[in-house]
């Protein structure tokens, strides 16, 4: 189950502009859940063009992260590995 | 390199081997979900799909064609996305990206698409040259490996979260500019 819309950008209660929301959604962090998809809370606050922009930024950033990582893994791959290894 | 070369180690439960497989497979799986980007949180779907590939890998039977586990991963991701569309009653999307990703997975040398040494070297220099705060936020996000929210990370470095994210945007654009000066253009939204 995804998080309901309108929950704000995060847990801090701080007002965030669209640029900040897009930057958050473009990151690899996602709340953990046992058996359900958990969207980034900020994703619900974005309109469709901003969601696509977050996707494109994320795609580009994962390439850079892979290039900076000794084993060629992006933060997406690292996040999944941490879940598999129970960290 | 056929990414299925990692299969024997993956089947023994070698998580690092699966990490190497993900390093080669992630980009193609993500590209296969592009058309869902306006209606689903693709990052979330992709992470769940990668997790499911790990879970089903012990039962995977190769069909003799290259990158079989990747082709399975692309289909798992697509099915998960379609299931999400139904659940959230979102509008359907084109499947062109899926076909493109599957065609890409047929290329035997897919596993060699990893970061080229020149990109690695130039990027490391560009990262070093960033001003202190932008460099700090990039470094801490990398170190967190997708496991901590920006709110947590901002708090760790003593910044308000908006400031943290503004620094990240600044860093991203500066990295794009620096790479461009060295003749490297990363397609997609790096400069966005």
């Amino acid at each position: 189950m995804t998080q309901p819309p309108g929950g704000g950008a995060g847990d801090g209660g701080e007002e965030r502009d669209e640029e900040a929301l897009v930057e958050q959604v473009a990151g690899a962090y996602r709340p953990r859940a046992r058996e359900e998809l958990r969207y980034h809370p900020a994703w619900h606050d974005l309109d469709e063009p901003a969601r696509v922009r977050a996707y494109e930024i994320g795609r580009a950033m994962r390439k850079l992260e892979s290039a900076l990582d000794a084993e060629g893994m992006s933060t997406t791959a690292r996040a999944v590995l941490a879940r598999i290894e129970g960290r | 390199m056929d990414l299925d070369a990692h299969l024997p180690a993956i089947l023994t439960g070698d998580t690092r081997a699966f990490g190497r497989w993900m390093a080669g497979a992630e980009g193609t799986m993500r590209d296969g979900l592009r058309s869902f980007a306006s209606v689903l949180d693709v990052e979330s779907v992709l992470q769940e799909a990668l997790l499911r590939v790990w879970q089903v890998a012990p039962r995977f039977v190769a069909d003799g064609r290259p990158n079989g586990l990747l082709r399975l991963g692309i289909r798992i991701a697509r099915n998960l996305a379609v299931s999400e569309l139904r659940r959230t009653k979102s509008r359907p999307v084109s499947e062109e990206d899926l076909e493109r990703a599957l065609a890409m997975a047929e290329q035997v040398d897919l596993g060699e698409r990893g970061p080229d040494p020149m990109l690695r070297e130039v990027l490391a220099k560009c990262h070093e040259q960033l001003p202190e705060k932008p460099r700090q936020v990039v470094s801490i996000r990398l170190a967190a490996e997708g496991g901590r929210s920006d709110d947590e990370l901002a708090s760790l470095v003593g910044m308000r979260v908006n400031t943290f994210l503004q620094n990240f945007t600044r860093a991203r654009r500066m990295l794009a500019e620096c790479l461009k000066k060295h003749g490297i253009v990363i397609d997609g939204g790096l400069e966005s």
Side-chain angles (χ1 to χ4, degrees):
Chain A
M1 186 78 71
T2 60
Q3 294 289 299
D11 346 344
E14 200 179 324
E15 283 287 319
R16 284 171 213 174
D17 61 20
E18 186 179 87
E19 190 66 39
L21 297 177
V22 166
E23 206 66 77
Q24 284 190 298
V25 174
Y29 168 76
R30 292 295 179 276
R32 286 202 186 185
R34 264 193 179 279
E35 302 201 0
E36 60 189 26
L37 280 180
R38 288 292 297 271
Y39 285 25
H40 194 294
W43 185 88
H44 299 285
D45 295 328
L46 296 178
D47 61 17
E48 290 197 1
R51 289 170 180 174
V52 173
R53 205 156 72 82
Y55 167 87
E56 295 294 353
I57 292 172
R59 181 175 179 271
M61 283 308 298
R62 298 297 98 73
K63 285 185 188 174
L64 295 198
E65 292 162 5
S66 301
L68 286 169
D69 185 86
E71 294 175 279
M73 276 191 266
S74 72
T75 52
T76 294
R78 293 268 172 209
V80 173
L81 201 58
R83 283 173 73 184
I84 289 169
E85 293 177 341
R87 288 185 277 125
Chain B
M1 177 187 169
D2 177 354
L3 288 178
D4 286 348
H6 298 298
L7 257 176
I10 291 172
L11 295 180
T12 67
D14 183 344
T15 56
R16 307 314 287 185
F18 188 66
R20 290 189 292 277
W21 179 88
M22 284 194 288
E26 180 195 328
T28 309
M29 284 179 65
R30 187 184 299 275
D31 288 350
L33 292 170
R34 190 189 184 286
S35 51
F36 293 91
S38 60
V39 286
L40 299 176
D41 182 356
V42 166
E43 179 67 35
S44 176
V45 172
L46 177 61
Q47 289 191 22
E48 183 62 27
L50 287 165
L51 192 64
R52 291 186 188 186
V53 171
W54 167 255
Q55 288 164 344
V56 303
R59 298 190 296 280
F60 172 73
V61 179
D63 61 5
R65 285 152 56 211
N67 296 311
L69 192 60
L70 172 58
R71 281 183 280 116
L72 176 66
I74 291 167
R75 292 196 183 282
I76 287 173
R78 184 261 179 199
N79 290 344
L80 188 56
V82 169
S83 159
E84 267 297 286
L85 285 188
R86 288 196 190 116
R87 192 187 64 76
T88 57
K89 298 182 172 60
S90 302
R91 61 176 166 78
V93 297
S94 152
E95 296 203 2
E96 274 177 36
D97 296 328
L98 169 77
E99 297 307 324
R100 205 174 298 128
L102 284 170
M104 179 69 82
E106 295 283 356
Q107 294 178 17
V108 180
D109 64 350
L110 187 65
E112 291 173 354
R113 283 201 323 162
D116 71 63
M118 186 184 162
L119 171 62
R120 190 182 291 267
E121 190 186 325
V122 172
L123 184 59
K125 277 185 193 157
C126 291
H127 182 237
E128 267 173 36
Q129 288 167 7
L130 287 173
E132 185 192 344
K133 301 268 183 205
R135 188 175 67 246
Q136 186 183 23
V137 299
V138 170
S139 297
I140 198 166
R141 248 209 197 174
L142 284 171
E145 300 182 348
R148 288 183 163 201
S149 71
D150 290 318
D151 296 77
E152 289 177 270
L153 298 178
S155 165
L156 282 174
V157 293
M159 289 181 199
R160 290 164 59 91
V161 72
N162 269 344
T163 309
F164 180 91
L165 293 166
Q166 282 161 6
N167 272 304
F168 198 89
T169 303
R170 199 172 152 220
R172 176 166 56 71
R173 289 175 179 158
M174 290 175 93
L175 286 174
E177 191 58 40
C178 180
L179 288 171
K180 200 192 272 181
K181 276 185 192 159
H182 288 85
I184 299 173
V185 177
I186 302 285
D187 61 328
L190 199 59
E191 292 173 89
S192 175

